[in-house]
PDB file of all heavy atoms in Angstrom:
ATOM      1  N   VAL O 333      82.891  -2.102 105.423  1.00 98.00           N
ATOM      2  CA  VAL O 333      81.937  -3.063 105.981  1.00 98.00           C
ATOM      3  C   VAL O 333      80.759  -2.307 106.579  1.00 98.00           C
ATOM      4  O   VAL O 333      80.886  -1.146 106.995  1.00 98.00           O
ATOM      5  CB  VAL O 333      82.568  -3.957 107.083  1.00 98.00           C
ATOM      6  CG1 VAL O 333      83.648  -4.843 106.505  1.00 98.00           C
ATOM      7  CG2 VAL O 333      83.114  -3.114 108.226  1.00 98.00           C
ATOM      8  N   GLY O 334      79.620  -2.977 106.623  1.00 98.00           N
ATOM      9  CA  GLY O 334      78.468  -2.464 107.336  1.00 98.00           C
ATOM     10  C   GLY O 334      78.350  -3.209 108.658  1.00 98.00           C
ATOM     11  O   GLY O 334      78.464  -4.439 108.683  1.00 98.00           O
ATOM     12  N   ILE O 335      78.144  -2.473 109.732  1.00 98.00           N
ATOM     13  CA  ILE O 335      78.072  -3.083 111.059  1.00 98.00           C
ATOM     14  C   ILE O 335      76.692  -2.843 111.654  1.00 98.00           C
ATOM     15  O   ILE O 335      76.223  -1.705 111.700  1.00 98.00           O
ATOM     16  CB  ILE O 335      79.156  -2.528 111.999  1.00 98.00           C
ATOM     17  CG1 ILE O 335      80.548  -2.817 111.423  1.00 98.00           C
ATOM     18  CG2 ILE O 335      79.027  -3.130 113.397  1.00 98.00           C
ATOM     19  CD1 ILE O 335      81.678  -2.179 112.218  1.00 98.00           C
ATOM     20  N   VAL O 336      76.057  -3.928 112.079  1.00 98.00           N
ATOM     21  CA  VAL O 336      74.780  -3.858 112.792  1.00 98.00           C
ATOM     22  C   VAL O 336      75.044  -4.391 114.197  1.00 98.00           C
ATOM     23  O   VAL O 336      75.550  -5.508 114.343  1.00 98.00           O
ATOM     24  CB  VAL O 336      73.689  -4.688 112.100  1.00 98.00           C
ATOM     25  CG1 VAL O 336      72.383  -4.603 112.872  1.00 98.00           C
ATOM     26  CG2 VAL O 336      73.488  -4.224 110.656  1.00 98.00           C
ATOM     27  N   ALA O 337      74.727  -3.598 115.220  1.00 98.00           N
ATOM     28  CA  ALA O 337      75.077  -3.999 116.583  1.00 98.00           C
ATOM     29  C   ALA O 337      74.014  -3.541 117.568  1.00 98.00           C
ATOM     30  O   ALA O 337      73.560  -2.390 117.507  1.00 98.00           O
ATOM     31  CB  ALA O 337      76.430  -3.418 116.977  1.00 98.00           C
ATOM     32  N   ASN O 338      73.622  -4.427 118.467  1.00 98.00           N
ATOM     33  CA  ASN O 338      72.730  -4.028 119.559  1.00 98.00           C
ATOM     34  C   ASN O 338      73.457  -3.049 120.471  1.00 98.00           C
ATOM     35  O   ASN O 338      74.670  -3.152 120.644  1.00 98.00           O
ATOM     36  CB  ASN O 338      72.279  -5.246 120.362  1.00 98.00           C
ATOM     37  CG  ASN O 338      71.657  -6.323 119.504  1.00 98.00           C
ATOM     38  OD1 ASN O 338      72.240  -7.389 119.298  1.00 98.00           O
ATOM     39  ND2 ASN O 338      70.475  -6.058 118.987  1.00 98.00           N
ATOM     40  N   GLN O 339      72.715  -2.104 121.047  1.00 98.00           N
ATOM     41  CA  GLN O 339      73.298  -1.114 121.951  1.00 98.00           C
ATOM     42  C   GLN O 339      72.745  -1.319 123.365  1.00 98.00           C
ATOM     43  O   GLN O 339      71.665  -0.830 123.701  1.00 98.00           O
ATOM     44  CB  GLN O 339      72.980   0.301 121.449  1.00 98.00           C
ATOM     45  CG  GLN O 339      73.414   1.447 122.352  1.00 98.00           C
ATOM     46  CD  GLN O 339      74.874   1.439 122.719  1.00 98.00           C
ATOM     47  OE1 GLN O 339      75.323   0.579 123.470  1.00 98.00           O
ATOM     48  NE2 GLN O 339      75.625   2.414 122.192  1.00 98.00           N
ATOM     49  N   PRO O 340      73.454  -2.072 124.223  1.00 97.00           N
ATOM     50  CA  PRO O 340      72.953  -2.362 125.577  1.00 97.00           C
ATOM     51  C   PRO O 340      72.721  -1.130 126.432  1.00 97.00           C
ATOM     52  O   PRO O 340      72.032  -1.201 127.445  1.00 97.00           O
ATOM     53  CB  PRO O 340      74.065  -3.240 126.170  1.00 97.00           C
ATOM     54  CG  PRO O 340      74.768  -3.829 124.999  1.00 97.00           C
ATOM     55  CD  PRO O 340      74.719  -2.757 123.952  1.00 97.00           C
ATOM     56  N   GLN O 341      73.280  -0.003 126.020  1.00 97.00           N
ATOM     57  CA  GLN O 341      73.119   1.230 126.786  1.00 97.00           C
ATOM     58  C   GLN O 341      71.720   1.821 126.656  1.00 97.00           C
ATOM     59  O   GLN O 341      71.317   2.651 127.469  1.00 97.00           O
ATOM     60  CB  GLN O 341      74.152   2.262 126.304  1.00 97.00           C
ATOM     61  CG  GLN O 341      74.780   3.067 127.409  1.00 97.00           C
ATOM     62  CD  GLN O 341      75.904   3.948 126.890  1.00 97.00           C
ATOM     63  OE1 GLN O 341      75.887   4.416 125.760  1.00 97.00           O
ATOM     64  NE2 GLN O 341      76.900   4.192 127.726  1.00 97.00           N
ATOM     65  N   VAL O 342      70.969   1.406 125.627  1.00 97.00           N
ATOM     66  CA  VAL O 342      69.632   1.936 125.379  1.00 97.00           C
ATOM     67  C   VAL O 342      68.634   0.788 125.323  1.00 97.00           C
ATOM     68  O   VAL O 342      68.751  -0.106 124.483  1.00 97.00           O
ATOM     69  CB  VAL O 342      69.586   2.729 124.054  1.00 97.00           C
ATOM     70  CG1 VAL O 342      68.185   3.287 123.808  1.00 97.00           C
ATOM     71  CG2 VAL O 342      70.616   3.849 124.055  1.00 97.00           C
ATOM     72  N   LEU O 343      67.676   0.789 126.238  1.00 96.00           N
ATOM     73  CA  LEU O 343      66.647  -0.259 126.297  1.00 96.00           C
ATOM     74  C   LEU O 343      67.272  -1.655 126.346  1.00 96.00           C
ATOM     75  O   LEU O 343      66.696  -2.618 125.831  1.00 96.00           O
ATOM     76  CB  LEU O 343      65.694  -0.159 125.100  1.00 96.00           C
ATOM     77  CG  LEU O 343      64.819   1.091 125.010  1.00 96.00           C
ATOM     78  CD1 LEU O 343      64.019   1.081 123.699  1.00 96.00           C
ATOM     79  CD2 LEU O 343      63.867   1.169 126.195  1.00 96.00           C
ATOM     80  N   ALA O 344      68.458  -1.753 126.927  1.00 95.00           N
ATOM     81  CA  ALA O 344      69.178  -3.021 127.068  1.00 95.00           C
ATOM     82  C   ALA O 344      69.503  -3.658 125.718  1.00 95.00           C
ATOM     83  O   ALA O 344      69.889  -4.817 125.655  1.00 95.00           O
ATOM     84  CB  ALA O 344      68.392  -4.000 127.938  1.00 95.00           C
ATOM     85  N   GLY O 345      69.349  -2.888 124.631  1.00 96.00           N
ATOM     86  CA  GLY O 345      69.668  -3.423 123.309  1.00 96.00           C
ATOM     87  C   GLY O 345      68.580  -4.282 122.697  1.00 96.00           C
ATOM     88  O   GLY O 345      68.832  -5.009 121.731  1.00 96.00           O
ATOM     89  N   VAL O 346      67.350  -4.186 123.211  1.00 96.00           N
ATOM     90  CA  VAL O 346      66.265  -4.998 122.659  1.00 96.00           C
ATOM     91  C   VAL O 346      65.941  -4.565 121.227  1.00 96.00           C
ATOM     92  O   VAL O 346      66.241  -3.450 120.808  1.00 96.00           O
ATOM     93  CB  VAL O 346      64.976  -4.896 123.508  1.00 96.00           C
ATOM     94  CG1 VAL O 346      65.179  -5.425 124.901  1.00 96.00           C
ATOM     95  CG2 VAL O 346      64.464  -3.456 123.524  1.00 96.00           C
ATOM     96  N   LEU O 347      65.291  -5.457 120.498  1.00 97.00           N
ATOM     97  CA  LEU O 347      64.752  -5.102 119.189  1.00 97.00           C
ATOM     98  C   LEU O 347      63.315  -4.630 119.380  1.00 97.00           C
ATOM     99  O   LEU O 347      62.524  -5.281 120.059  1.00 97.00           O
ATOM    100  CB  LEU O 347      64.767  -6.303 118.246  1.00 97.00           C
ATOM    101  CG  LEU O 347      66.125  -6.752 117.702  1.00 97.00           C
ATOM    102  CD1 LEU O 347      65.949  -7.964 116.799  1.00 97.00           C
ATOM    103  CD2 LEU O 347      66.814  -5.627 116.943  1.00 97.00           C
ATOM    104  N   ASP O 348      62.982  -3.497 118.768  1.00 97.00           N
ATOM    105  CA  ASP O 348      61.597  -3.043 118.755  1.00 97.00           C
ATOM    106  C   ASP O 348      61.244  -2.667 117.322  1.00 97.00           C
ATOM    107  O   ASP O 348      61.998  -2.959 116.387  1.00 97.00           O
ATOM    108  CB  ASP O 348      61.375  -1.886 119.733  1.00 97.00           C
ATOM    109  CG  ASP O 348      62.249  -0.666 119.418  1.00 97.00           C
ATOM    110  OD1 ASP O 348      62.956  -0.685 118.384  1.00 97.00           O
ATOM    111  OD2 ASP O 348      62.218   0.297 120.204  1.00 97.00           O
ATOM    112  N   ILE O 349      60.095  -2.016 117.130  1.00 97.00           N
ATOM    113  CA  ILE O 349      59.630  -1.701 115.780  1.00 97.00           C
ATOM    114  C   ILE O 349      60.643  -0.821 115.048  1.00 97.00           C
ATOM    115  O   ILE O 349      61.049  -1.126 113.916  1.00 97.00           O
ATOM    116  CB  ILE O 349      58.254  -1.013 115.836  1.00 97.00           C
ATOM    117  CG1 ILE O 349      57.171  -2.021 116.235  1.00 97.00           C
ATOM    118  CG2 ILE O 349      57.912  -0.369 114.501  1.00 97.00           C
ATOM    119  CD1 ILE O 349      55.809  -1.403 116.497  1.00 97.00           C
ATOM    120  N   GLU O 350      61.050   0.274 115.674  1.00 97.00           N
ATOM    121  CA  GLU O 350      61.939   1.210 114.989  1.00 97.00           C
ATOM    122  C   GLU O 350      63.321   0.618 114.747  1.00 97.00           C
ATOM    123  O   GLU O 350      63.910   0.810 113.680  1.00 97.00           O
ATOM    124  CB  GLU O 350      62.031   2.512 115.785  1.00 97.00           C
ATOM    125  CG  GLU O 350      60.730   3.307 115.774  1.00 97.00           C
ATOM    126  CD  GLU O 350      60.856   4.651 116.459  1.00 97.00           C
ATOM    127  OE1 GLU O 350      61.859   4.867 117.169  1.00 97.00           O
ATOM    128  OE2 GLU O 350      59.948   5.485 116.298  1.00 97.00           O
ATOM    129  N   ALA O 351      63.856  -0.114 115.724  1.00 97.00           N
ATOM    130  CA  ALA O 351      65.173  -0.732 115.544  1.00 97.00           C
ATOM    131  C   ALA O 351      65.142  -1.745 114.401  1.00 97.00           C
ATOM    132  O   ALA O 351      66.096  -1.849 113.620  1.00 97.00           O
ATOM    133  CB  ALA O 351      65.619  -1.404 116.835  1.00 97.00           C
ATOM    134  N   SER O 352      64.056  -2.497 114.298  1.00 97.00           N
ATOM    135  CA  SER O 352      63.930  -3.491 113.227  1.00 97.00           C
ATOM    136  C   SER O 352      63.902  -2.818 111.862  1.00 97.00           C
ATOM    137  O   SER O 352      64.556  -3.271 110.915  1.00 97.00           O
ATOM    138  CB  SER O 352      62.664  -4.324 113.423  1.00 97.00           C
ATOM    139  OG  SER O 352      62.705  -5.036 114.641  1.00 97.00           O
ATOM    140  N   GLU O 353      63.136  -1.726 111.750  1.00 97.00           N
ATOM    141  CA  GLU O 353      63.059  -1.011 110.474  1.00 97.00           C
ATOM    142  C   GLU O 353      64.415  -0.394 110.102  1.00 97.00           C
ATOM    143  O   GLU O 353      64.843  -0.465 108.948  1.00 97.00           O
ATOM    144  CB  GLU O 353      62.005   0.089 110.553  1.00 97.00           C
ATOM    145  CG  GLU O 353      60.575  -0.426 110.546  1.00 97.00           C
ATOM    146  CD  GLU O 353      59.578   0.689 110.295  1.00 97.00           C
ATOM    147  OE1 GLU O 353      59.920   1.865 110.538  1.00 97.00           O
ATOM    148  OE2 GLU O 353      58.450   0.397 109.876  1.00 97.00           O
ATOM    149  N   LYS O 354      65.043   0.208 111.079  1.00 98.00           N
ATOM    150  CA  LYS O 354      66.352   0.858 110.851  1.00 98.00           C
ATOM    151  C   LYS O 354      67.375  -0.155 110.349  1.00 98.00           C
ATOM    152  O   LYS O 354      68.062   0.079 109.340  1.00 98.00           O
ATOM    153  CB  LYS O 354      66.812   1.506 112.152  1.00 98.00           C
ATOM    154  CG  LYS O 354      68.242   2.025 112.162  1.00 98.00           C
ATOM    155  CD  LYS O 354      68.548   2.649 113.521  1.00 98.00           C
ATOM    156  CE  LYS O 354      70.005   2.958 113.722  1.00 98.00           C
ATOM    157  NZ  LYS O 354      70.269   3.621 115.031  1.00 98.00           N
ATOM    158  N   ALA O 355      67.496  -1.273 111.040  1.00 98.00           N
ATOM    159  CA  ALA O 355      68.495  -2.273 110.668  1.00 98.00           C
ATOM    160  C   ALA O 355      68.154  -2.946 109.345  1.00 98.00           C
ATOM    161  O   ALA O 355      69.047  -3.251 108.546  1.00 98.00           O
ATOM    162  CB  ALA O 355      68.638  -3.308 111.778  1.00 98.00           C
ATOM    163  N   ALA O 356      66.868  -3.182 109.094  1.00 98.00           N
ATOM    164  CA  ALA O 356      66.457  -3.846 107.850  1.00 98.00           C
ATOM    165  C   ALA O 356      66.853  -3.016 106.638  1.00 98.00           C
ATOM    166  O   ALA O 356      67.398  -3.536 105.656  1.00 98.00           O
ATOM    167  CB  ALA O 356      64.952  -4.100 107.859  1.00 98.00           C
ATOM    168  N   ARG O 357      66.582  -1.715 106.684  1.00 98.00           N
ATOM    169  CA  ARG O 357      66.926  -0.853 105.547  1.00 98.00           C
ATOM    170  C   ARG O 357      68.435  -0.797 105.363  1.00 98.00           C
ATOM    171  O   ARG O 357      68.947  -0.777 104.233  1.00 98.00           O
ATOM    172  CB  ARG O 357      66.376   0.557 105.786  1.00 98.00           C
ATOM    173  CG  ARG O 357      66.589   1.480 104.587  1.00 98.00           C
ATOM    174  CD  ARG O 357      65.457   1.386 103.592  1.00 98.00           C
ATOM    175  NE  ARG O 357      65.771   1.972 102.298  1.00 98.00           N
ATOM    176  CZ  ARG O 357      65.877   3.283 102.055  1.00 98.00           C
ATOM    177  NH1 ARG O 357      65.742   4.157 103.031  1.00 98.00           N
ATOM    178  NH2 ARG O 357      66.113   3.707 100.825  1.00 98.00           N
ATOM    179  N   PHE O 358      69.167  -0.776 106.453  1.00 98.00           N
ATOM    180  CA  PHE O 358      70.632  -0.718 106.372  1.00 98.00           C
ATOM    181  C   PHE O 358      71.192  -2.003 105.769  1.00 98.00           C
ATOM    182  O   PHE O 358      72.083  -1.955 104.908  1.00 98.00           O
ATOM    183  CB  PHE O 358      71.214  -0.486 107.764  1.00 98.00           C
ATOM    184  CG  PHE O 358      72.708  -0.341 107.781  1.00 98.00           C
ATOM    185  CD1 PHE O 358      73.308   0.829 107.346  1.00 98.00           C
ATOM    186  CD2 PHE O 358      73.519  -1.372 108.232  1.00 98.00           C
ATOM    187  CE1 PHE O 358      74.694   0.970 107.361  1.00 98.00           C
ATOM    188  CE2 PHE O 358      74.896  -1.243 108.258  1.00 98.00           C
ATOM    189  CZ  PHE O 358      75.493  -0.067 107.813  1.00 98.00           C
ATOM    190  N   VAL O 359      70.683  -3.138 106.185  1.00 98.00           N
ATOM    191  CA  VAL O 359      71.129  -4.427 105.632  1.00 98.00           C
ATOM    192  C   VAL O 359      70.842  -4.472 104.134  1.00 98.00           C
ATOM    193  O   VAL O 359      71.678  -4.918 103.336  1.00 98.00           O
ATOM    194  CB  VAL O 359      70.453  -5.593 106.371  1.00 98.00           C
ATOM    195  CG1 VAL O 359      70.667  -6.910 105.631  1.00 98.00           C
ATOM    196  CG2 VAL O 359      70.981  -5.703 107.790  1.00 98.00           C
ATOM    197  N   GLN O 360      69.654  -4.018 103.728  1.00 98.00           N
ATOM    198  CA  GLN O 360      69.308  -4.002 102.308  1.00 98.00           C
ATOM    199  C   GLN O 360      70.269  -3.107 101.521  1.00 98.00           C
ATOM    200  O   GLN O 360      70.688  -3.458 100.409  1.00 98.00           O
ATOM    201  CB  GLN O 360      67.872  -3.503 102.131  1.00 98.00           C
ATOM    202  CG  GLN O 360      66.824  -4.493 102.568  1.00 98.00           C
ATOM    203  CD  GLN O 360      65.419  -3.923 102.529  1.00 98.00           C
ATOM    204  OE1 GLN O 360      64.455  -4.592 102.878  1.00 98.00           O
ATOM    205  NE2 GLN O 360      65.271  -2.682 102.118  1.00 98.00           N
ATOM    206  N   MET O 361      70.605  -1.946 102.073  1.00 98.00           N
ATOM    207  CA  MET O 361      71.528  -1.040 101.392  1.00 98.00           C
ATOM    208  C   MET O 361      72.896  -1.699 101.231  1.00 98.00           C
ATOM    209  O   MET O 361      73.487  -1.664 100.148  1.00 98.00           O
ATOM    210  CB  MET O 361      71.636   0.267 102.184  1.00 98.00           C
ATOM    211  CG  MET O 361      72.487   1.351 101.528  1.00 98.00           C
ATOM    212  SD  MET O 361      74.289   1.164 101.724  1.00 98.00           S
ATOM    213  CE  MET O 361      74.447   1.219 103.522  1.00 98.00           C
ATOM    214  N   CYS O 362      73.402  -2.304 102.300  1.00 98.00           N
ATOM    215  CA  CYS O 362      74.707  -2.974 102.223  1.00 98.00           C
ATOM    216  C   CYS O 362      74.694  -4.082 101.175  1.00 98.00           C
ATOM    217  O   CYS O 362      75.640  -4.219 100.388  1.00 98.00           O
ATOM    218  CB  CYS O 362      75.086  -3.541 103.591  1.00 98.00           C
ATOM    219  SG  CYS O 362      75.508  -2.301 104.838  1.00 98.00           S
ATOM    220  N   ASP O 363      73.640  -4.860 101.165  1.00 98.00           N
ATOM    221  CA  ASP O 363      73.552  -5.964 100.205  1.00 98.00           C
ATOM    222  C   ASP O 363      73.486  -5.438  98.780  1.00 98.00           C
ATOM    223  O   ASP O 363      74.097  -6.005  97.870  1.00 98.00           O
ATOM    224  CB  ASP O 363      72.328  -6.826 100.521  1.00 98.00           C
ATOM    225  CG  ASP O 363      72.268  -8.069  99.662  1.00 98.00           C
ATOM    226  OD1 ASP O 363      73.285  -8.802  99.594  1.00 98.00           O
ATOM    227  OD2 ASP O 363      71.217  -8.334  99.045  1.00 98.00           O
ATOM    228  N   ALA O 364      72.749  -4.345  98.561  1.00 97.00           N
ATOM    229  CA  ALA O 364      72.619  -3.786  97.220  1.00 97.00           C
ATOM    230  C   ALA O 364      73.955  -3.319  96.671  1.00 97.00           C
ATOM    231  O   ALA O 364      74.222  -3.433  95.470  1.00 97.00           O
ATOM    232  CB  ALA O 364      71.618  -2.628  97.228  1.00 97.00           C
ATOM    233  N   PHE O 365      74.834  -2.810  97.565  1.00 98.00           N
ATOM    234  CA  PHE O 365      76.076  -2.206  97.107  1.00 98.00           C
ATOM    235  C   PHE O 365      77.321  -2.981  97.531  1.00 98.00           C
ATOM    236  O   PHE O 365      78.399  -2.412  97.703  1.00 98.00           O
ATOM    237  CB  PHE O 365      76.139  -0.753  97.574  1.00 98.00           C
ATOM    238  CG  PHE O 365      75.075   0.097  96.936  1.00 98.00           C
ATOM    239  CD1 PHE O 365      74.084   0.705  97.701  1.00 98.00           C
ATOM    240  CD2 PHE O 365      75.031   0.256  95.562  1.00 98.00           C
ATOM    241  CE1 PHE O 365      73.087   1.462  97.106  1.00 98.00           C
ATOM    242  CE2 PHE O 365      74.038   1.020  94.956  1.00 98.00           C
ATOM    243  CZ  PHE O 365      73.066   1.624  95.737  1.00 98.00           C
ATOM    244  N   ASN O 366      77.163  -4.286  97.693  1.00 97.00           N
ATOM    245  CA  ASN O 366      78.303  -5.200  97.865  1.00 97.00           C
ATOM    246  C   ASN O 366      79.166  -4.866  99.080  1.00 97.00           C
ATOM    247  O   ASN O 366      80.397  -4.990  99.035  1.00 97.00           O
ATOM    248  CB  ASN O 366      79.172  -5.194  96.592  1.00 97.00           C
ATOM    249  CG  ASN O 366      78.359  -5.462  95.346  1.00 97.00           C
ATOM    250  OD1 ASN O 366      77.555  -6.386  95.322  1.00 97.00           O
ATOM    251  ND2 ASN O 366      78.529  -4.654  94.322  1.00 97.00           N
ATOM    252  N   ILE O 367      78.527  -4.470 100.155  1.00 98.00           N
ATOM    253  CA  ILE O 367      79.231  -4.144 101.392  1.00 98.00           C
ATOM    254  C   ILE O 367      79.023  -5.292 102.377  1.00 98.00           C
ATOM    255  O   ILE O 367      77.888  -5.564 102.785  1.00 98.00           O
ATOM    256  CB  ILE O 367      78.709  -2.823 101.997  1.00 98.00           C
ATOM    257  CG1 ILE O 367      78.874  -1.681 100.992  1.00 98.00           C
ATOM    258  CG2 ILE O 367      79.425  -2.513 103.307  1.00 98.00           C
ATOM    259  CD1 ILE O 367      78.213  -0.378 101.430  1.00 98.00           C
ATOM    260  N   PRO O 368      80.071  -6.016 102.776  1.00 98.00           N
ATOM    261  CA  PRO O 368      79.923  -7.112 103.734  1.00 98.00           C
ATOM    262  C   PRO O 368      79.283  -6.625 105.033  1.00 98.00           C
ATOM    263  O   PRO O 368      79.450  -5.466 105.427  1.00 98.00           O
ATOM    264  CB  PRO O 368      81.364  -7.581 103.962  1.00 98.00           C
ATOM    265  CG  PRO O 368      82.115  -7.111 102.768  1.00 98.00           C
ATOM    266  CD  PRO O 368      81.469  -5.825 102.350  1.00 98.00           C
ATOM    267  N   ILE O 369      78.578  -7.527 105.704  1.00 98.00           N
ATOM    268  CA  ILE O 369      77.843  -7.166 106.916  1.00 98.00           C
ATOM    269  C   ILE O 369      78.413  -7.928 108.106  1.00 98.00           C
ATOM    270  O   ILE O 369      78.506  -9.167 108.077  1.00 98.00           O
ATOM    271  CB  ILE O 369      76.341  -7.486 106.763  1.00 98.00           C
ATOM    272  CG1 ILE O 369      75.752  -6.723 105.575  1.00 98.00           C
ATOM    273  CG2 ILE O 369      75.586  -7.138 108.045  1.00 98.00           C
ATOM    274  CD1 ILE O 369      74.371  -7.205 105.168  1.00 98.00           C
ATOM    275  N   VAL O 370      78.771  -7.183 109.137  1.00 98.00           N
ATOM    276  CA  VAL O 370      79.213  -7.759 110.404  1.00 98.00           C
ATOM    277  C   VAL O 370      78.163  -7.424 111.452  1.00 98.00           C
ATOM    278  O   VAL O 370      77.812  -6.256 111.635  1.00 98.00           O
ATOM    279  CB  VAL O 370      80.585  -7.194 110.831  1.00 98.00           C
ATOM    280  CG1 VAL O 370      80.962  -7.709 112.216  1.00 98.00           C
ATOM    281  CG2 VAL O 370      81.655  -7.566 109.810  1.00 98.00           C
TER     282      VAL O 370
END
Side-chain angles (χ1 to χ4, degrees):
V333 295
I335 300 174
V336 179
N338 306 109
Q339 175 55 290
Q341 220 173 32
V342 180
L343 295 175
V346 297
L347 287 179
D348 60 5
I349 288 172
E350 291 185 346
S352 298
E353 287 194 338
K354 170 180 169 177
R357 185 88 195 288
F358 183 75
V359 168
Q360 288 174 181
M361 185 280 300
C362 290
D363 186 51
F365 295 117
N366 307 313
I367 302 172
I369 301 167
V370 175

